[in-house]
Amino acid sequence: QVQLVESGGGLVQAGGSLRLSCAASESIFDFNAMGWYRQAPGQRDLVARISRRGSTNYTDSAKGRFTISRDNAQNTVYLQMNGLKSEDTGVYYCNANRKSNNYWGQGTQVTVSS
């Protein structure tokens, strides 16, 4: 069973930055894609995604502010978040997709105060 462990969340003022990390228990090179999702009341939405080849896509609200990256040697995916807004508040979950399986971390809380 793949384990994903997120870290890096916290409380930050609007306009500030955070870097989230997602460490996998095995090689991330085998995953088709990895991504970050934000849980708000009632729904979990994709924020950013990176493929095995390194191509990325972002939700419109994240474009220009967030950057997803991966370090295959460290089996870790990062989400650099700059210019944080109150609407970015939520629990951020790391996701890994391999074939038809999806794996999730336990989540890390991000709170942006205005």
Side-chain angles (χ1 to χ4, degrees):
Q1 180 72 10
V2 175
Q3 293 186 352
L4 303 173
V5 179
E6 301 101 333
S7 61
L11 173 64
V12 64
Q13 289 188 335
S17 298
L18 285 173
R19 188 176 83 153
L20 306 183
S21 300
C22 171
S25 60
E26 56 186 82
S27 173
I28 65 172
F29 184 77
D30 294 333
F31 297 130
N32 297 329
M34 297 188 72
W36 287 95
Y37 288 72
R38 179 173 60 243
Q39 179 82 47
Q43 60 186 31
R44 185 177 293 187
D45 297 321
L46 176 68
V47 175
R49 185 175 180 268
I50 186 166
S51 74
R52 179 189 299 172
R53 293 193 175 105
S55 62
T56 59
N57 61 283
Y58 299 89
T59 187
D60 286 345
S61 64
K63 288 177 182 176
R65 299 188 299 127
F66 294 1
T67 303
I68 189 170
S69 60
R70 60 192 294 162
D71 184 336
N72 290 339
Q74 297 296 323
N75 295 328
T76 301
V77 172
Y78 302 98
L79 184 67
Q80 177 67 45
M81 305 188 293
N82 299 327
L84 283 161
K85 305 175 182 180
S86 57
E87 52 262 43
D88 296 320
T89 294
V91 179
Y92 284 69
Y93 291 91
C94 179
N95 170 269
N97 173 266
R98 182 169 61 196
K99 296 183 180 179
S100 60
N101 295 317
N102 273 300
Y103 304 96
W104 296 92
Q106 82 289 350
T108 185
Q109 176 71 44
V110 171
T111 303
V112 184
S113 63
S114 56

